[in-house]
Amino acid sequence: MLRGSPERELAAWWEAEAEAATAAKAQAAKEQVRVDPGAAGEPERKAAEEQPKEPTPGPPRAAEEGDARVSPRPPPALPVYRPKPAPAQGLCPHGKSRSKGRSCKRSSGQSDEYCSPRPVTVDSSKARTSLDALKISIRQLKWKEFPFGRRLPCDIYWHGVSFHDSDIFSGQVNKFPGMTEMVRKITLSRAVRIMQNLFPEEYNFYPRSWILPDEFQLFAAQATMDVFSVKMSLHFLEFYINGTIQQVQMVKDGDPSWKPTFIVKPDSGCQGDGIYLIKDPSDIRLAGTLQSRPAVVQEYICKPLLIDKLKFDIRLYVLLKSLDPLEIYIAKEGLSRFCTEPYQEPNPKNLHHIFMHLTNYSLNIHSGKFVHSDSTSTGSKRTFSSILCRLSSKGVDIKKVWSDIISLVIKTVIALTPELKVFYQSDIPAGRPGPTCFQILGFDILLMKNLKPILLEVNANPSMRIEHEQELSPGVFENVPSLVDEEVKVAVIRDTLRLMDPLKKKRGNQSQQLLATKENPSDSELAGNTNPEAHLPSICLKQVFPKYAKQFNYLRLVDRMANLFIRFLGIKGTMKLGPTGFRTFIRNCKLSSSSLSMAAVDILYIDITRRWNSMTMDQRDSGMCLQAFVEAFFYLAQRKFKMLPLHEQVASLIDLCEYHLSVLDEKRLACGRRGTVGARPPSSGTPQEAAPAAQLAEGHPPPCTNSAHRLSHSRHSPS
């Protein structure tokens, strides 16, 4: 800065006295002062002006004179404070601020540091058991890890267990709120059961299930009916096959193995804890379960596919990248976990052999026959691709197996998403700061002897450990790397991070802009800039939704019901619908009539809400939960559209509700445009408006041109 002739003379005198100083020190002094004016504020400049003009100035003054010599421009006539001074701290060489997140777009002919985008930051302070695989993934991606957290926000937060590990207001977190609750045995069974009521054929991949203790009597009655059915079939054989009458009679009287087998799974259990098999509902352990903790009882799959005479299941990793719009990815590689005893169909003698019937790794690891192997195709834990190769060598249609598994995964996620949306809007209400979410799920799938996939369970926190314990001597254990786990799990985590990379688009734009400034870029520059992940293998995660959305969107009826439910919640952050909200839903959708008065609506609300509140353990707030709302919706649909199948009844009522709500929204919009609340929109009460509603009341969908269908497609079809 130049303040007039006297100061320039004093600075020249100081410079003459300092001629003996080395050129390096003088240059350092110049650079220091170049930085200070750009960083200093107006008060600092005023203080400098008040200093006495004596021939004892400090180095900053000489540097100012040096700046004047280096920059031959005349003294500026502008005010002392200049918002964009010469290149200084926080500025790129072209005078543009770096603090606003802009990178220098001009090419200086050399590889400047400012041209490279910053690395993605990952907070791994709560990664827990997935920490080792996460560290390897971050290192391969050349990102920056913060293992002890960070005061400033990170781009990605990797949590080990729950979304609620800490308060996060930005970035991305690898957990969805409510996912842990949604994939518990009871909640998952209820969600799938709703879909089985609507689409029984599409959801026959999940075994029949009963929730204890609420449905114990129903389970006992249906189990007895199953026994009776088996007896009747045996009598049928007895009547028609004379040569085997004595053999069938012997099975009936002396061998109870023909009775159906059931598996009991505690609701809060994990890693095979508390699971056992029964053949009789009156089993004494079942009574103990009723008194201690809730559980799910399912039909046991007695005829699984065997390899090397062993039962096995498949752990597949599924990435839920986004909830709205729905995005699902499936890992191309998974794990196959084997039992350690040759399989036999359940009978009273082997019913308690957990190493024969339960495939859980955490159980079989304690078997003396468990085989650790570094090979992907041998041992008690193998890659899923090795199983497919073996099946392919026997002539099995592997594409059909994969197609069935993909269908199972998509249908299961569709069953889970409605209530996940309710959890999400409760924890991250619209309009408030919060992170975006994604999550890796572990699907446990069993292949039957006929190669039909059966869903066993879904894990919200699948193990990502890449080592196992090995006993060196009695009581002495050591963690040994597992090559099979590392090959599968590191790829899943790394490629999940690649898909969620928040800077990927920005990095690609900067690379294209950098290349555009060069006339003849070399091949290496083209390869390195257009594909910064060129050193990495291809992504192991395959998108299955919305890729196959057209085949499965018809199943998303409950998802549309959840949108209606959320609309009438009223209070942000709540998960239950109050009586006023339910009445508003009935009134706005015009569902009340002479046969369904508002008093009957209140009774319906009270009865269903009271029953569901007695079954659920979540008593955080009172009101109607989503599943209770779905039951009430089914009841209303069956009353209004009596002659249709259930899924068509529900779809017709959803269309009717969406139509009336869209008309209401259009009226409010028109009133807002007119500026008068009481203004009547031109279309109100016209025959053109009443016709689609009449068609819906008769069970026919409205024409595709109306706003209800436009609203439905825009809200639910994936982008």
Side-chain angles (χ1 to χ4, degrees):
M1 289 177 290
L2 303 177
R3 302 185 183 87
S5 177
E7 291 223 0
R8 287 200 300 271
E9 292 176 359
L10 290 174
W13 177 87
W14 185 91
E15 186 178 22
E17 292 293 325
E19 283 181 355
T22 62
K25 292 182 179 179
Q27 182 66 22
K30 293 175 186 177
E31 292 178 356
Q32 179 183 358
V33 179
R34 279 199 191 102
V35 171
D36 289 342
E42 187 66 26
E44 186 177 342
R45 290 188 172 86
K46 290 182 178 180
E49 291 175 356
E50 293 172 1
Q51 293 179 357
K53 300 178 182 180
E54 296 180 2
T56 57
R61 284 175 158 186
E64 289 173 359
E65 177 65 20
D67 285 347
R69 283 191 300 112
V70 172
S71 178
R73 291 174 296 181
L78 298 174
V80 176
Y81 174 69
R82 305 183 69 185
K84 291 185 179 180
Q89 184 179 7
L91 301 179
C92 76
H94 305 295
K96 293 196 174 184
S97 172
R98 295 179 190 166
S99 61
K100 295 182 180 180
R102 297 179 299 191
S103 299
C104 179
K105 297 182 180 180
R106 303 182 192 176
S107 176
S108 60
Q110 56 184 0
S111 57
D112 295 323
E113 182 180 1
Y114 55 82
C115 290
S116 300
R118 67 173 180 84
V120 178
T121 55
V122 181
D123 184 336
S124 62
S125 59
K126 301 183 185 301
R128 302 195 183 185
T129 58
S130 63
L131 182 59
D132 292 337
L134 179 63
K135 284 181 177 292
I136 295 174
S137 301
I138 295 174
R139 192 160 55 246
Q140 292 178 356
L141 294 171
K142 300 179 182 179
W143 291 2
K144 184 160 183 147
E145 178 192 4
F146 289 88
F148 304 106
R150 186 190 188 197
R151 289 185 179 180
L152 296 176
C154 283
D155 295 312
I156 295 177
Y157 296 84
W158 195 275
H159 289 178
V161 177
S162 171
F163 171 81
H164 297 287
D165 281 349
S166 62
D167 293 329
I168 303 173
F169 301 101
S170 64
Q172 303 179 73
V173 62
N174 71 317
K175 300 293 178 188
F176 275 97
M179 183 65 81
T180 301
E181 292 83 353
M182 274 307 303
V183 299
R184 285 175 177 259
K185 275 73 169 181
I186 289 179
T187 316
L188 175 64
S189 297
R190 282 177 174 156
V192 175
R193 182 183 296 176
I194 290 174
M195 301 305 295
Q196 287 176 332
N197 291 335
L198 289 169
F199 307 101
E201 294 298 325
E202 286 83 349
Y203 281 83
N204 60 3
F205 57 81
Y206 194 69
R208 277 196 308 167
S209 305
W210 297 268
I211 297 167
L212 303 181
D214 299 327
E215 299 174 355
F216 176 73
Q217 297 298 330
L218 178 62
F219 163 63
Q222 292 188 351
T224 303
M225 288 296 297
D226 289 344
V227 172
F228 178 75
S229 299
V230 173
K231 284 185 176 181
M232 292 299 295
S233 64
L234 291 178
H235 281 297
F236 181 85
L237 290 175
E238 201 175 82
F239 180 80
Y240 280 99
I241 308 176
N242 295 327
T244 58
I245 288 180
Q246 293 181 347
Q247 181 180 1
V248 172
Q249 189 69 33
M250 179 182 65
V251 171
K252 283 173 55 182
D253 295 339
D255 185 4
S257 62
W258 55 267
K259 292 183 178 180
T261 305
F262 304 95
I263 184 168
V264 183
K265 301 178 181 180
D267 179 52
S268 58
C270 61
Q271 299 182 340
D273 177 46
I275 298 179
Y276 57 90
L277 274 61
I278 62 171
K279 280 187 170 292
D280 193 336
S282 62
D283 191 301
I284 187 171
R285 289 178 299 163
L286 191 57
T289 300
L290 292 176
Q291 297 174 2
S292 58
R293 53 180 176 172
V296 168
V297 181
Q298 292 181 324
E299 287 181 315
Y300 181 75
I301 307 301
C302 295
K303 296 187 181 297
L305 178 67
L306 304 180
I307 289 183
D308 299 331
K309 299 181 179 180
L310 298 173
K311 180 182 176 181
F312 70 96
D313 74 351
I314 305 161
R315 164 63 60 84
L316 282 183
Y317 298 96
V318 175
L319 169 64
L320 182 57
K321 185 174 182 288
S322 170
L323 198 58
D324 191 9
L326 184 60
E327 289 188 60
I328 309 170
Y329 291 76
I330 297 181
K332 300 175 185 177
E333 185 63 283
L335 295 172
S336 299
R337 306 170 301 180
F338 283 75
C339 289
T340 49
E341 289 185 12
Y343 179 77
Q344 297 176 359
E345 290 195 24
N347 60 59
K349 294 182 180 180
N350 66 29
L351 208 59
H352 313 299
H353 293 192
I354 59 173
F355 299 145
M356 177 188 295
H357 296 293
L358 303 184
T359 56
N360 301 75
Y361 167 81
S362 55
L363 296 177
N364 284 277
I365 188 69
H366 301 293
S367 169
K369 297 180 181 179
F370 191 93
V371 179
H372 291 287
S373 175
D374 291 337
S375 172
T376 59
S377 57
T378 60
S380 297
K381 184 186 286 189
R382 314 175 192 178
T383 60
F384 181 43
S385 60
S386 69
I387 303 300
L388 293 178
C389 288
R390 187 159 178 177
L391 295 176
S392 179
S393 65
K394 297 181 179 180
V396 173
D397 186 356
I398 300 305
K399 290 185 178 180
K400 176 68 165 58
V401 175
W402 257 120
S403 176
D404 292 342
I405 290 176
I406 290 173
S407 176
L408 178 151
V409 168
I410 294 175
K411 291 174 182 177
T412 303
V413 175
I414 286 177
L416 295 175
T417 51
E419 198 150 1
L420 279 176
K421 283 186 175 182
V422 178
F423 275 103
Y424 195 92
Q425 66 82 34
S426 174
D427 284 78
I428 312 177
R432 295 185 187 177
T436 56
C437 301
F438 65 97
Q439 189 155 353
I440 298 173
L441 304 174
F443 275 65
D444 292 344
I445 298 171
L446 180 74
L447 289 179
M448 294 180 63
K449 194 173 183 178
N450 60 1
L451 298 176
K452 177 183 177 180
I454 298 294
L455 177 65
L456 300 180
E457 63 182 25
V458 180
N459 296 272
N461 303 300
S463 171
M464 288 296 176
R465 291 188 61 180
I466 55 175
E467 74 279 339
H468 60 83
E469 287 186 349
Q470 185 174 1
E471 190 171 10
L472 302 178
S473 60
V476 179
F477 294 88
E478 180 185 25
N479 284 333
V480 179
S482 170
L483 298 183
V484 176
D485 285 295
E486 183 172 339
E487 177 181 335
V488 176
K489 296 175 181 178
V490 170
V492 170
I493 292 180
R494 180 194 65 225
D495 292 346
T496 294
L497 293 174
R498 291 167 70 182
L499 288 172
M500 303 306 303
D501 182 358
L503 304 180
K504 187 173 184 177
K505 184 176 180 180
K506 180 179 179 181
R507 193 183 301 116
N509 292 338
Q510 289 179 350
S511 298
Q512 295 296 332
Q513 292 168 357
L514 184 62
L515 288 175
T517 62
K518 296 190 176 183
E519 295 182 358
N520 298 311
S522 63
D523 293 340
S524 59
E525 287 176 331
L526 284 172
N529 285 284
T530 57
N531 184 14
E533 299 179 350
H535 66 287
L536 298 173
S538 60
I539 291 183
C540 73
L541 294 165
K542 173 185 177 182
Q543 188 192 76
V544 296
F545 200 96
K547 182 177 181 179
Y548 303 121
K550 291 182 180 179
Q551 303 175 31
F552 297 95
N553 270 339
Y554 75 98
L555 300 173
R556 303 186 69 183
L557 295 181
V558 184
D559 198 71
R560 295 167 66 187
M561 278 187 265
N563 291 336
L564 296 174
F565 177 81
I566 292 171
R567 173 171 176 146
F568 291 97
L569 282 177
I571 303 174
K572 289 185 177 181
T574 185
M575 293 182 59
K576 293 187 176 181
L577 186 65
T580 303
F582 189 71
R583 288 172 62 93
T584 305
F585 158 71
I586 297 292
R587 191 182 305 111
N588 287 0
C589 295
K590 303 187 184 304
L591 300 182
S592 60
S593 62
S594 58
S595 59
L596 184 67
S597 63
M598 294 306 295
V601 168
D602 292 338
I603 294 174
L604 175 66
Y605 174 88
I606 293 172
D607 288 345
I608 293 180
T609 301
R610 183 178 298 167
R611 183 170 67 257
W612 276 94
N613 286 343
S614 66
M615 291 190 296
T616 59
M617 302 181 67
D618 181 14
Q619 301 296 336
R620 288 181 294 180
D621 48 6
S622 59
M624 175 180 278
C625 64
L626 175 63
Q627 292 175 336
F629 178 79
V630 170
E631 181 181 333
F633 201 93
F634 282 9
Y635 171 79
L636 295 171
Q638 290 170 325
R639 282 180 58 97
K640 198 165 192 66
F641 306 96
K642 298 179 180 179
M643 305 304 295
L644 299 174
L646 178 60
H647 69 275
E648 293 185 16
Q649 292 173 336
V650 171
S652 298
L653 186 59
I654 292 174
D655 287 339
L656 177 64
C657 294
E658 290 178 342
Y659 169 75
H660 284 303
L661 293 176
S662 67
V663 170
L664 182 62
D665 292 340
E666 289 175 359
K667 287 181 179 180
R668 291 173 177 171
L669 183 61
C671 291
R673 288 175 178 173
R674 288 171 175 268
T676 55
V677 179
R680 180 173 179 175
S683 61
S684 178
T686 61
Q688 289 82 1
E689 176 187 310
Q695 291 178 351
L696 282 168
E698 296 174 1
H700 302 292
C704 295
T705 56
N706 69 50
S707 57
H709 275 259
R710 290 199 302 270
L711 177 66
S712 172
H713 287 298
S714 63
R715 183 178 299 173
H716 303 288
S717 60
S719 60

